[in-house]
Every structure is written in structure tokens, then in C-alpha cells.
Amino acid sequence: MKNKTKWVYSFGAGSAEGDASMRNLLGGKGANLAEMASLGLPVPPGFTITTEVCSAFYENDRNHPAGLAEEVSTALAKVGDAVGMKFGDTSKPLLVSVRSGARASMPGMMDTVLNLGLTDETVKGLAKLSGDERFAYDSYRRFIQMYSDVVLEVDHHSFEEQLETYKEEHDYFLDTEMTADDWKSVIDGYKKVVGDELGRPFPQDPEEQLWGAINAVFGSWRNDRADTYRRLHNIPESWGTAVNVQAMVFGNMGETSATGVAFTRDPSTGDNHYYGEFLINAQGEDVVAGIRTPQALTKRAREAMSDDAPSMEEAMPKAYAELAAVFDRLEKHYRDMQDIEFTIQNEKLWMLQTRNGKRTAKAALKIAVDLCEEGLLTQEEAVMRVDPHSLDQLLHPSLDPDAPRDQVLSGLPASPGAAVGEVVFNSDEAERLAQEGKAVILVRVETSPEDIHGMHAAKGIVTARGGMTSHAAVVARGMGRPCVCGAGDLKIDKSEEFFTVAGRQVKKGETVTIDGAAGRVYAGAVPTVQPELSGDFGKLMGWADAVRRMKVRANAETPHDARVARDFGAEGIGLCRTEHMFFETDRIIAVREMILAEDKKGREAALAKLLPMQRSDFEELFRVMSGLPVTIRLLDPPLHEFLPHSDDEIEEVAKSSGMDAQKLKDRAHKLHEFNPMLGHRGCRLGVSYPEIYEMQARAIMEAACAVAKETGEKVTPEIMIPLVAKREELTMLKARVDAVALAVLKENNTKLDYLVGTMIELPRAALTADEIAKDAEFFSFGTNDLTQTTFGLSRDDSAAFLPDYLRQGIFERDPFVTLDPDGVGALIKIAAEKGRATRPDIKLGICGEHGGDPDSIRFVEGAGLDYVSCSPYRTPIARLAAAQAKLEKSQGGSTA
Ligand code: PEP
Ligand code: MG
């Protein structure tokens, strides 16, 4: 008989059908609940409906696969047996929670329903059973509210309004003042809202409720906020979500009950202290929603915050001790920091979730290094634990401690880092202004998953409400956005034109600076300082360097950038774009003179002005890089970037060159190209005007001789010719460069090695690399142009329509960000192979933007190139990514 697909996996009471390795099938939450149950930890019994059901649901026009109903029914009965209750029973009603749980964690993006199974009848049973009528009806009204919002799509504001009005009429301030009878009245009101809106009553059949909730969870996999989250985190839609159905445990059963969330270490700093929050007499969603301010988990944290409300350690010492033991057990088991949800029901601890906790880059580093030093991880495992992208957060500046500052506001230090921007109050506007290139700080009372696009667009986030585990805090940390939350004094005016703090007004559009590590907001732009790169960072990078095979170089042309690159561990310069050395005003005039010169004589006059500038720039670069290789690319200016546009610019060139302004204008007009990226650039310029490359070769070699003499160090220039398509281009230009180089060496009576190589930026060059390698001593893949020319996709214009391609899944990634392995990558492999066939020791590297992108680096490691080169700030990212790629490859996991 053919094996039937199993749709449902049970867990609880010391055993489980699944385990942590089954996260693809059971989702992260389900797999970890199963694992915890098997470990014998106190997990309320339940079952997981697999992600395959979600896929089947969508493939089958939102219908369930055959056999699912029976499996759910059997599993549900099993849960009832485990707790001595029965679903729908009026005297011993089993209540369940229904939660989503995808393969990758998507906090707050999908739907949850608690207390499911309550009806007008079963609520009476619950009241009797618990001996607490108030609790039973509080649970029922919570259920109606949540179920109506999530499943029936009745706007939750209607319920909130009802409750507020009721409390006002009865002079109540807190929900805890409400009695059982009060809740009964509110419930009648709630049911009326549902009836009026839907034209049918609130469902009283627990079975109907259950399937409604299951379908809503599957449905929420494709809601807008989940879609956005998936896009931002590269989570494929095909993965689907699992559904977890679990016996309810109650944190809202009075003063001996509570609910909380915790991290086994501080997710912000990585410090090895339990870290979390809890609320007495509350249900799970109350903590995350940020409506009531939670209490600290530990005495230590409470004292650090000078909080008066007792910590869990003090208020519930027995449950706390049990929880602490579970923390240690889970950390050792998973060998990672855990993010945990728990509930205490009448002093008994229940574990509702564990997962590897999200953390800031700083915390990720510290935790990886600490776990290694605690003996839980090897150095190589520690290297694999830090996401290279996240280093970005650490490599950016923090506030200059000596700079004067004018504090406007203080709140919780929810996500570290400094950000400067203008104040905006809503997410759509934040996104719009960011698209216009403005830096914005999003200021909100609180954030919800609907704000995800605004938070992503903003440089930083400030909220008035919510604790360290509120939506704003969790999401901001995940995105690496500095965030200050729970700034209680912040009042946002209804008009959303300004906010006030203690009488002080800050208007929309005003610039503020936030310090997420200190939880402070300052008026104006406060100067920032560079990050400290020693400590844990240095250790982990050292471990990464020890396993890395590929070298990491930087793309840099100024001495400043070269210094930053060296500080960040670059092992040479992989690309010095010489045309970028001319961006300053006095220099660009000389370049324009050269480009616009009518004849060789005019060009030579301009070149004579440029030579000393170039020489001294190169000297400085060689000095900074003291002995490390420096690849200097000869001029490659797409003409449109350099031609003068305005009359003033023409006038400047006329003055400097003595040429007639009108003639200059005509010449600029003549040089105008329709498609400059495929125009007179790269080596084509050298073919037309070889004296340009000769001047540059002279400047490079004279600088090399001077610095070699001055420092006694080895200087190895690598002279690179761009945009070669045919070997003949290179043959001709290399001959010119060699002639100048030999002449300079002779003039200086110096011996010095230099290389001449080429960029591979055109498909033709890649396909004929064996020919080209006869002249080229190295190849550097210019993957920006190679992507442009392979796809026939303009670097300058494609941003306008690429989003359509991404949205419709034609491209999974922007090919200018992450290397296309199948097309561009195939060309790289062909070129590398052919190049090596001709010249076995040919040096191979990549210097397009992809050189700093971890996924592209993984490909480059797989293709066996010698180095990657990227912008200076990305050098550490590349070092770590190259180490991880090497480790993955040696474990057989390479994608190339
Ligand atoms: C490239 O094309 O990848 C490259 C590095 O050169 P540029 O970006 O200067 O064209
Ligand atoms: Mg290029």
C-alpha cells in the first residue's frame, strides 16, 4: 500500500511525533514545541498541522486535503485525554490556542487565536471548573474579540470602543476592576456588534470555530504584511505556514498566574543575563501588544531600571527558579540563545515557545564568542553563527561622546545605533520621503505590523508606548534600525504635525538624532564617531580569517578610503577607479579639458596638468597600502558622467584651456551619446587616445618608483585595462603601457614588478578568455558591467522597472545586488577556466558591487577565484562571508 501523507503531528506529555530537525514540515514553532515535549519540559499538549497542508490548501483552491479532518479530530481527542478535558464539552471544556508557525520566524505577521472552544455553554463549564466566574467570562470576551478580528474580520475598534464606553459609564479605570457580570454585559454588546456586522450570530459550534481559525492562519500566510515581510527577508511564498493547536493554559487566572517572554541572554548587548518581561494575571498577547507596561524578569534588571514593580524573581520565586532551570537546559540543548514564551497558571510553569532568539549584530558577536569560550561551540561554529549582513550595524558610527547635544526625549534603549533624520509620523509618508532620498525618523505612539514598510524606510524609530519586546523593539532590532521605545512623555498631536515633550514642541520635518543604545532623542544632527573594532569583533574576525581561503581587497581611490579599508582588514586594493580621483572641482575641469580637446596637442596640454595630480595620488595610495597589492584601473569614464552640462561648467573649461566657449559647446554636443554605457568608454578611449593611458601608466610607475625608494617596501602596481572585448584591444594597449613602464623604470634606475591585466566585463571577453589571457596577467570580473551586458539591462535605468520583476518573481533577487549564478555566474566560470587553461597562475578576482554581497561571495568561493574586492565598509562583511563560504564548501554545501 502506498504510504499516506501524514498531515498532523502530535506532541505533549513527555513525547512527540516530530522534533527540531523537522522545521520545514512543522514550522519553527511546531518543531521546537515537539523538541521541548520530548525533552520532558512542561509543554501544553497539542498538535501541528504541517506546512504541506498549507501548500495543498493554496494549490487546491483553499480546500483541505483528504484525510485532514480525521487526523485533526484524532489528535484533538488525544489532547483532551492528556488534560482530562474534551473539546466542546459543557462541563470539562477543552480550550485551545491556534497559532501560525512558518519555517522562518515572522513575528507578528500572521494570525493567532486564543481561548478557542468557548461558547455561551462551555463558558459556564469553565467558570465552574476554575471556580472563577470572572476569569471565565474575561476569557470568553477576549476570545470573541480575537476571533472576530482574525477570523470574521470585524474591525477590532468596535470592540475597544464598547469596552471603553462601558468602563467610562461605570467609572472604571482598569480592566481588573471589571466583575464577571460586567464582562457578561460587555459580551452581549460584542455579540451584537458581530451580529449587526455579519448578519449572523457569533459561531457557537466549537468545531466551526476551530476550522475557521485554522483557515484564517493559512489565509494569513498571504496577507499584505506577511507578503512584505517575506519580500524583505527573502522568504519564498512556497514554504507555507504550519498551524499549531495546543491546549490552553491560562496566565489570567488571578494573582498566581502570569505570562511572559524572555531571552536567555540580552538580545541587545549579548550580555549573559536572563532578560525578559512578564505580566501578572494576563494572557500572552498583552505583553507583546505594549498596552500594559510589563515588569522585569530579574531583580537585577529591575534595579538597573529603578523600577518599583517587583520582578518575577521576587514576586514568584518558585516559578522563576523553575524557569531559570529550563533556560539553562534549553541553551545547552540548542547551543544558542533562546527566545522563550511562557505562562504560569496557578504557580505552575508552562513553556509555549522556544526559538533561537533574534539579536542585534553586537549581541550576535558577543554570544557567538561567549558560547565558544564557554565550550558550547567551536571557533568555526562561532564563525557560522554571525550573519555577515548584520555586521553592517556594527560598522556604522555612534554618537560622538564629546559632541554637545540637546536632549528632547528619553525612552527605552530598544535597538542600538545612531540615526539622524527628519521627523515623520506615518509609515506611508516615511516610505515616500525615503524614496525621495530623505533620511527620516519614524515617530509613532506604537507600531504594528502595518508599519513594517515605514520602519524599513526609516533610519530610526521612536515610540511612545511598549516595552523592550514590543513590536517596535523586536522588528527594529531585526532590521538593524536604531530604536527608542516606550518614551512615555512623548505626546503626538492629533494633527500629526508635531509632538510635544514636557511643553517642548518638535515639528514634522525637523531634524532629530536618536541614540538607540542609550534610549535618547536629541534635537538637530549630533555628530557621530566611527565604531570600535576590537574586542569580540576582533576575535571573531580573527577566527574567520583563520579559515578563509579567498583574499579580501577593497575598492578605494582616496587615501581616506584606503585607510578605512586597511582598518577593516582589506588585504590590498582590488579596484582604484582613476576617474573617481577627478571628482573634485579643480580636477574635473582638467579632465573635461582633456575629453573636449580638439586634437592631440590640446589633449596633451590637459594631460600634463593631470599627471602630477595622479602621481601624488598614487604615491599616497601606495604609502597607505604599504606593500599590499594595488590594482589601478586606467580611465573608464562613461562620458555622460564627465561632460559639462551647464554654461557655467563650459565657461570654466574655456577659461582653463583657453578654448572658445562656443567651440567647446559644439564639441560637447558632438560627444553626446545616446547610450553612454555602451559608448566611448573603457579601453575604447585608450584605443582612440592612447596618450591618456600612457600618461596614467607613467604616473603609476613614477609613483611606484618614488614610494619604493622612500619606504624600502615592495610596491606592486597592477595596471588594469577596462571593458576589453577583443584580445587585440589589450595587445595594443598593453604594449603602450609596457613601453612607458620600462622607460620609467629605466629613468629611475629601479627594478620593480608590475602586472598588466584586464577587467572581464563583457560576455565576449568571458567567452574568449583563453585568448585574452595570452596578454592579461590577471582578470578582475567587473560584475556590474558584466551583469548589465549579460542581461542587456541598463545599470542606470533598470531601477525603474526591476521592482516589477521582483514582485512577479521573474527575478528572485536584484541581479545588480546578488550575482546571477546561472547566467553571469556561468560566464565567470567559463572565463576562469579558459583563463587558467592559457595561464595557470593567472590571478582572478571580482570587483563589482557583488564583491561585498555574502551570497555572491559564496558563489565566488565555489568558482574558486582568488579574491573579492568591495567597498571599504563592506570589507569585514566580505571577510566573514568568505570564511563561511569556505566552511560551507568544505562541508559540501556550496551552491556554485
Ligand atoms: C564593474 O563594472 O563591475 C566595475 C567594477 O566597474 P564600474 O562599476 O566602474 O563600471
Ligand atoms: Mg565596469
Side-chain angles (χ1 to χ4, degrees), residues 633 636 681 723 759 761 782 785 795:
R633 179 176 77 185
D636 174 18
R681 60 176 286 221
L723 217 74
M759 294 190 77
E761 304 179 272
D785 275 312
R795 282 166 73 171

Side-chain angles (χ1 to χ4, degrees), residues 555 575 577 579-580 633 636 638 677 681 720 723 759-761 780-786 795 847-850:
N555 296 352
L575 174 62
R577 293 176 162 104
E579 64 279 1
H580 285 197
R633 179 176 77 185
D636 174 18
M677 273 296 186
R681 60 176 286 221
M720 180 152 80
L723 217 74
M759 294 190 77
I760 301 286
E761 304 179 272
S780 178
F781 291 93
T783 46
N784 302 330
D785 275 312
L786 192 58
R795 282 166 73 171
C847 67
E849 284 308 297
H850 306 90

Side-chain angles (χ1 to χ4, degrees), residues 350-559:
W350 291 100
M351 300 301 299
L352 300 186
Q353 170 167 300
T354 192
R355 61 183 175 203
N356 294 340
K358 287 206 190 306
R359 60 203 78 180
T360 62
K362 185 172 173 217
L365 260 180
K366 175 152 179 56
I367 292 170
V369 170
D370 284 355
L371 288 176
C372 179
E373 290 178 346
E374 289 161 29
L376 283 177
L377 297 180
T378 64
Q379 288 183 1
E380 293 186 352
E381 284 170 329
V383 164
M384 292 305 291
R385 283 292 175 87
V386 178
D387 175 4
H389 293 102
S390 77
L391 289 185
D392 223 15
Q393 285 179 42
L394 291 182
L395 304 174
H396 286 291
S398 56
L399 293 190
D400 177 353
D402 299 327
R405 55 190 74 184
D406 169 15
Q407 186 175 322
V408 181
L409 186 63
S410 77
L412 298 173
S415 177
V420 182
E422 57 183 74
V423 169
V424 295
F425 294 109
N426 85 57
S427 289
D428 290 344
E429 191 169 356
E431 187 174 57
R432 186 174 57 72
L433 291 174
Q435 273 164 2
E436 287 172 14
K438 293 206 171 121
V440 297
I441 303 289
L442 180 64
V443 181
R444 305 277 293 154
V445 174
E446 61 199 331
T447 63
S448 73
E450 271 86 33
D451 288 310
I452 196 104
H453 61 298
M455 298 175 77
H456 191 252
K459 295 278 182 230
I461 296 135
V462 181
T463 70
R465 271 200 232 147
M468 294 290 280
T469 48
S470 64
H471 179 267
V474 171
V475 175
R477 278 200 294 273
M479 287 180 173
R481 297 288 181 280
C483 175
V484 175
C485 69
D489 297 335
L490 167 72
K491 304 270 175 299
I492 299 176
D493 187 73
K494 272 213 172 77
S495 66
E496 296 206 334
E497 288 297 319
F498 61 90
F499 71 78
T500 51
V501 183
R504 179 173 183 176
Q505 222 184 63
V506 177
K507 292 198 189 66
K508 184 167 87 177
E510 272 184 49
T511 297
V512 295
T513 300
I514 75 176
D515 180 349
R520 304 266 194 277
V521 180
Y522 303 98
V526 180
T528 52
V529 288
Q530 295 304 322
E532 172 67 53
L533 298 176
S534 50
D536 294 331
F537 180 86
K539 263 187 207 161
L540 192 96
M541 292 312 288
W543 299 342
D545 290 343
V547 294
R548 177 161 59 85
R549 178 192 67 83
M550 281 192 295
K551 294 270 185 215
V552 174
R553 299 195 193 182
N555 296 352
E557 28 280 338
T558 65

